[in-house]
Amino acid sequence: MPRPKYFTPNEVSVHNSIGDLWVSYLGKVYNLTPLLQEYKGDVLLKPIIECAGKDISHWFDPKTKDIITHVDPLTGCVKYYTPRGRFLHVPPICPCTDWANDFGKPWWKDMRYEVGILTAKAHWIRIINTLSAQEQRLEVCSEETLNEILQRYLRYNSHAASYTWKHNGVILDMSKNLSENGIHDEDEELDRCRMDRDLFTPSICLYFNDDLT
């Protein structure tokens, strides 16, 4: 199985339009753009569109992976709890004969829309090219290996694979993540000490190998 792709909340948040709509929930990231295209103009899309680019985990019960339910005080029946208003694939409040329920799986259970995993923690790092003295600040996922971080960095330096990556003078293992390479998350400690995170962003230095790829 191919390794899943990880996304930061900021990466999800930029997909916030009707023509490009992503959401995250229960640790996964979903591209709901095809859903909006299929049901274009349906008023039941409104709550979903209002949450474009956001995390909607609070809509779901983490144990059942389904929409949160409650007991309707009028009917005594268990129903989906949708305080933002009923949305696509949620049954109507009262029984009716004109609800089209032949859609198969509801969209929140349809894995076709899944595009990756939401990172448990996003990190900011500085990548310093010692050859050109250029410095780039990059937001990465804690689960990503250095090879995956390299792929993020390629848009700033297409020859990044021709460099040796080091931290504090130690060559990094590109198959391991930041923590496994001894680059630990110190955000909590910095917050406790009331220190500016931007001034203490961990840095990775790149040394040219004279081997262009």
Side-chain angles (χ1 to χ4, degrees):
M1 292 291 291
R3 180 174 163 83
K5 183 172 176 58
Y6 289 88
F7 295 93
T8 68
N10 283 332
E11 287 179 299
V12 177
S13 68
V14 299
H15 301 275
N16 57 10
S17 66
I18 294 178
D20 180 23
L21 192 153
W22 288 21
V23 295
S24 61
Y25 55 90
L26 302 180
K28 300 289 183 69
V29 178
Y30 299 85
N31 177 4
L32 299 184
T33 310
L35 181 74
L36 267 66
Q37 293 171 345
E38 182 180 354
Y39 292 91
K40 187 176 181 179
D42 194 322
V43 69
L44 294 181
L45 290 172
K46 185 172 182 285
I48 300 173
I49 294 172
E50 290 175 344
C51 292
K54 300 178 182 178
D55 187 84
I56 55 172
S57 295
H58 57 284
W59 290 13
F60 300 89
D61 183 329
K63 292 182 179 179
T64 64
K65 313 296 184 184
D66 203 356
I67 304 296
I68 291 175
T69 58
H70 74 127
V71 177
D72 188 287
L74 297 178
T75 64
C77 297
V78 176
K79 296 182 178 179
Y80 284 132
Y81 180 62
T82 55
R84 297 186 69 96
R86 179 176 164 237
F87 51 82
L88 198 66
H89 296 169
V90 170
I93 297 176
C94 299
C96 63
T97 58
D98 60 351
W99 179 50
N101 60 356
D102 56 350
F103 48 78
K105 288 184 179 180
W107 61 264
W108 58 88
K109 292 184 178 181
D110 196 333
M111 294 300 102
R112 292 179 301 167
Y113 303 119
E114 185 180 327
V115 292
I117 299 176
L118 187 70
T119 182
K121 183 71 167 64
H123 294 278
W124 285 97
I125 59 172
R126 289 184 300 135
I127 299 182
I128 303 170
N129 185 333
T130 59
L131 178 66
S132 63
Q134 292 179 328
E135 179 177 321
Q136 184 62 48
R137 197 164 178 266
L138 202 63
E139 186 179 34
V140 301
C141 302
S142 60
E143 300 87 353
E144 288 180 316
T145 65
L146 268 295
N147 274 323
E148 290 167 333
I149 292 174
L150 184 152
Q151 294 302 312
R152 287 181 178 272
Y153 180 66
L154 283 176
R155 65 179 180 270
Y156 305 106
N157 183 347
S158 60
H159 299 294
S162 295
Y163 290 74
T164 296
W165 292 45
K166 294 184 179 182
H167 175 69
N168 287 342
V170 178
I171 297 177
L172 300 176
D173 186 334
M174 302 300 285
S175 66
K176 296 181 178 180
N177 62 32
L178 293 173
S179 179
E180 291 168 339
N181 273 290
I183 307 175
H184 300 294
D185 176 25
E186 298 180 342
D187 284 354
E188 289 187 7
E189 182 69 14
L190 292 174
D191 288 342
R192 187 179 65 81
C193 297
R194 298 182 180 178
M195 301 174 73
D196 189 347
R197 296 182 187 180
D198 292 341
L199 297 178
F200 296 92
T201 304
S203 61
I204 295 175
C205 293
L206 274 55
Y207 296 86
F208 187 54
N209 295 331
D210 196 19
D211 178 27
L212 277 181
T213 56

